[in-house]
Amino acid sequence: MRLLARALFAIYRNILALFIYLGFTRQKVHDLELPVDEKIGLIPYKSKKPVADIPKLYDVKRFPKADRARMRSRRIRLTRPLIGVLSRLKMRSIPSIPSEHSRMIRKIYPKLFTRAWPHPPVVPPEVASSTDLLADLAVAGPFADYVKRISEDEVSRVNAISPGHVDGDAFTIDLEELGRHAVKDGVLPIGCTVIFRYDEDGNRLATQSVVYRDAVVTRTDDSWAQVEKVALCSLSTHLTIIKHNVYIHLMYLTVHTAVTIDTLHPEHPIRRLIHHCFQTALIGNYEVSQFQIRGQRSYCCTLFSYDYDRMIEVINAYLDVFDIRTMDPIRHARLRGVDHPEFPYPFLANVASLWDIIWSYVSEYVDHYYVGDYDAAKDLELAAWYQALHQRIPGGIEHYAGPLKKDAVKKLCATLIYTSTVTHDNVNNIIWNYTTLHQYIPTVVPEDGSLPRADLAFDFLSTIIGTWKPFNMLLDGISSVALDAEGKRIMDGFVDAMKVRQADMDAEPFTYHTIYPKKLNFSISN
């Protein structure tokens, strides 16, 4: 039976790899076009099939002309059921991935992948040599914006389980919501709270314990290795399903794109400012929806711990608590109580430098077109844009942006540009050398203590490798859509500032967890 499972998996793997390889060879990169007068329209997410009852998500009535959606949507509709048929070749007796990285890559990275993208995932040195992986990933890498200062409620909850275990000087990563939903048979429940303290020297964060299933598990406990895997699996689950697919793609960018096109005329200065963020965003989001979220065979169901109904529950629970302030890296750090950390925090330094460039650019641009707050407030189209965003984004925008003044416009535009470029690079590209490493960061934790099956690791890779297809890069420029000569100068100045930052970073040692301007796309979908 094992031999049959291996043979069928090899057939499945090579056929799917062929489809992906052909996608690379046929990829066309289209120049950024001027916006046109058109209407997109938002409709309830459950209006389209397969039905997914997620009240706070929206789908679109039609795609922008620049998305060239007709052929791509047809390919998506044809490919989705075909992959479903192919997946029936897989058997549950497929072996686990090898623990040794090079052997794992040979098993899950076929030759056609190498021809398409000759850079298979590697194990970053800080991961390979880590003696405290949770603490290392809390400050650098794709999970580094989860850590926060412990709350009083958390102190009380933890100390009720283990008296005197923590005080107000601790830090946490809170993923308890994931533990409120049942998981599939054969895998451990996920959801936990990771607790960090300063190390013995008082300089760096160190993992103290994980609160899991109403128990405090420390690093000296026999169950630590398994519980650490649960914590890492929880992080991967939240980042992939909630932060990346739902928050960024299906909620934030879908709403922003449709609302902006529907409310701001093609020559409106704010539409020109953020227009590059919408390049193929909606047709790309349609693909994310069809393959990642909708239906029992969607990748988020087959790869992670929940069945379809439970996954929808989790998505709705997290949409209920979405806060737009978390999309602003500086405000988010302040909310987490780590905006002035006393421990090394490479991630915050990295993103803050890029945010400063984006904020300066957006401020100069908005100041050019709006002399005073009154000019922004009397712009009727801008008022309709602001109101529509407030109504459609879960939790609204006013508590972050404030009333419709210039500062509100700056915040909303800077946050959108930052999300489309920097944040998306972190959750979509930086993860290539992190969450693909299922021997370290699994998508499920088998009850029997084994490593995840090879088909799960392969399927996860196959959902990500397509993002390396050629696409528009931010440093290639965005000023082709400038409204006037001064607008073009400001846009070019933004790209030049990013190039200067890149040159400074080139003089520093390379790390896999760093977000580099030269690797930024100017929108989220290719």
Side-chain angles (χ1 to χ4, degrees):
M1 188 64 73
R2 264 186 181 276
L3 288 175
L4 177 60
R6 290 172 191 258
L8 291 175
F9 173 55
I11 294 171
Y12 166 78
R13 179 186 61 198
N14 290 327
I15 293 175
L16 195 55
L18 175 62
F19 287 151
I20 291 170
Y21 170 72
L22 292 175
F24 270 80
T25 62
R26 296 171 180 175
Q27 175 77 354
K28 293 182 179 179
V29 180
H30 297 282
D31 292 336
L32 184 62
E33 299 177 2
L34 291 173
V36 298
D37 191 9
E38 55 188 338
K39 295 297 180 184
I40 304 302
L42 289 170
I43 57 177
Y45 190 72
K46 65 180 180 180
S47 301
K48 293 189 177 180
K49 295 182 179 180
V51 174
D53 191 8
I54 309 176
K56 292 185 179 179
L57 284 188
Y58 296 91
D59 217 317
V60 295
K61 291 182 179 179
R62 58 190 64 86
F63 298 106
K65 294 181 177 66
D67 277 14
R68 297 171 174 84
R70 184 177 178 183
M71 291 301 296
R72 186 168 174 181
S73 61
R74 181 182 300 171
R75 175 180 59 78
I76 292 167
R77 289 194 298 271
L78 291 173
T79 305
R80 190 176 186 276
L82 181 58
I83 291 177
V85 172
L86 279 176
S87 67
R88 297 180 186 278
L89 292 171
K90 299 187 296 180
M91 301 173 65
R92 290 191 175 275
S93 52
I94 292 173
S96 300
I97 55 169
S99 58
E100 201 274 313
H101 183 69
S102 61
R103 289 181 58 218
M104 184 189 76
I105 291 298
R106 286 197 297 271
K107 185 176 286 288
I108 67 171
Y109 208 82
K111 291 180 180 179
L112 283 170
F113 274 13
T114 303
R115 290 177 63 183
W117 181 248
H119 307 287
V122 301
V123 182
E126 67 272 18
V127 173
S129 63
S130 179
T131 58
D132 189 352
L133 189 54
L134 283 168
D136 291 339
L137 293 177
V139 296
F143 307 129
D145 63 349
Y146 284 82
V147 67
K148 64 182 183 64
R149 188 170 290 279
I150 195 168
S151 68
E152 292 183 4
D153 287 344
E154 287 175 313
V155 170
S156 299
R157 181 171 65 86
V158 174
N159 286 337
I161 299 170
S162 179
H165 186 70
V166 293
D167 56 33
D169 291 332
F171 297 84
T172 68
I173 291 176
D174 179 5
L175 295 165
E176 290 289 339
E177 178 59 46
L178 296 176
R180 299 187 179 104
H181 308 271
V183 297
K184 293 180 284 193
D185 292 340
V187 300
L188 290 177
I190 58 173
C192 61
T193 298
V194 186
I195 300 175
F196 304 96
R197 297 191 67 86
Y198 288 106
D199 64 9
E200 293 180 354
D201 297 328
N203 297 323
R204 305 173 65 87
L205 288 188
T207 307
Q208 178 182 1
S209 57
V210 172
V211 182
Y212 176 62
R213 312 293 286 174
D214 295 324
V216 175
V217 182
T218 67
R219 297 177 67 191
T220 58
D221 291 337
D222 292 341
S223 60
W224 173 253
Q226 197 79 321
V227 171
E228 182 184 41
K229 281 285 199 301
V230 167
L232 292 164
C233 176
S234 301
L235 282 162
S236 181
T237 301
H238 185 276
L239 182 140
T240 306
I241 299 177
I242 304 303
K243 183 183 292 186
H244 185 188
N245 289 332
V246 174
Y247 280 179
I248 294 176
H249 278 276
L250 302 184
M251 185 272 290
Y252 196 61
L253 260 297
T254 293
V255 169
H256 246 297
T257 304
V259 163
T260 301
I261 293 174
D262 286 352
T263 58
L264 303 182
H265 66 81
E267 295 190 352
H268 194 285
I270 298 306
R271 183 163 172 188
R272 294 294 182 94
L273 169 65
I274 56 180
H275 178 65
H276 67 85
C277 298
F278 309 142
Q279 177 86 336
T280 66
L282 292 182
I283 186 60
N285 289 352
Y286 175 68
E287 188 162 359
V288 168
S289 174
Q290 289 296 313
F291 287 103
Q292 299 287 339
I293 300 296
R294 290 186 183 272
Q296 295 283 357
R297 292 190 175 275
S298 62
Y299 279 121
C300 284
C301 284
T302 59
L303 292 176
F304 292 93
S305 303
Y306 303 113
D307 64 19
Y308 186 59
D309 291 337
R310 301 294 83 72
M311 183 187 72
I312 299 302
E313 286 179 3
V314 173
I315 290 171
N316 282 324
Y318 276 106
L319 282 170
D320 284 344
V321 297
F322 173 77
D323 188 335
I324 191 176
R325 294 177 297 176
T326 63
M327 310 300 265
D328 174 333
I330 306 305
R331 181 67 72 88
H332 191 203
R334 194 178 308 144
L335 289 171
R336 293 182 288 121
V338 294
D339 49 324
H340 298 290
E342 297 178 0
F343 52 85
Y345 198 179
F347 171 82
L348 183 60
N350 180 197
V351 300
S353 68
L354 301 178
W355 170 262
D356 287 346
I357 294 171
I358 293 171
W359 180 259
S360 295
Y361 159 56
V362 170
S363 294
E364 183 180 8
Y365 185 97
V366 173
D367 286 343
H368 169 60
Y369 290 102
Y370 295 93
V371 176
D373 286 331
Y374 177 72
D375 293 325
K378 72 179 183 181
D379 185 329
L380 297 182
E381 287 189 6
L382 205 59
W385 175 76
Y386 179 96
Q387 189 59 35
L389 290 176
H390 184 64
Q391 291 175 347
R392 301 292 194 178
I393 291 177
I397 62 173
E398 190 170 4
H399 68 292
Y400 167 61
L404 181 55
K405 297 180 180 180
K406 284 203 307 181
D407 191 56
V409 178
K410 292 175 182 179
K411 287 178 179 177
L412 294 171
C413 293
T415 300
L416 175 64
I417 293 170
Y418 175 86
T419 300
S420 297
T421 56
V422 180
T423 301
H424 194 252
D425 187 70
N426 192 48
V427 303
N428 188 75
N429 298 334
I430 295 295
I431 63 167
W432 183 249
N433 299 303
Y434 291 90
T435 56
T436 58
L437 309 176
H438 287 200
Q439 70 273 44
Y440 295 97
I441 306 171
T443 57
V444 294
V445 183
E447 284 181 331
D448 61 8
S450 63
L451 289 171
R453 298 196 317 265
D455 61 310
L456 298 182
F458 169 76
D459 282 348
F460 190 86
L461 265 178
S462 71
T463 69
I464 300 172
I465 189 172
T467 65
W468 295 109
K469 290 184 290 188
F471 190 45
N472 306 87
M473 306 303 291
L474 179 64
L475 296 193
D476 289 339
I478 53 175
S479 64
S480 61
V481 299
L483 196 57
D484 51 37
E486 181 63 10
K488 182 179 187 304
R489 183 196 67 78
I490 295 170
M491 287 180 168
D492 288 338
F494 165 54
V495 173
D496 288 343
M498 282 291 190
K499 290 178 179 178
V500 170
R501 179 65 189 132
Q502 179 62 53
D504 292 341
M505 297 173 80
D506 285 340
E508 303 167 355
F510 170 81
T511 64
Y512 288 98
H513 59 70
T514 299
I515 300 167
Y516 293 98
K518 66 182 178 183
K519 295 186 177 182
L520 299 179
N521 300 122
F522 64 48
S523 76
I524 61 168
S525 296
N526 58 357

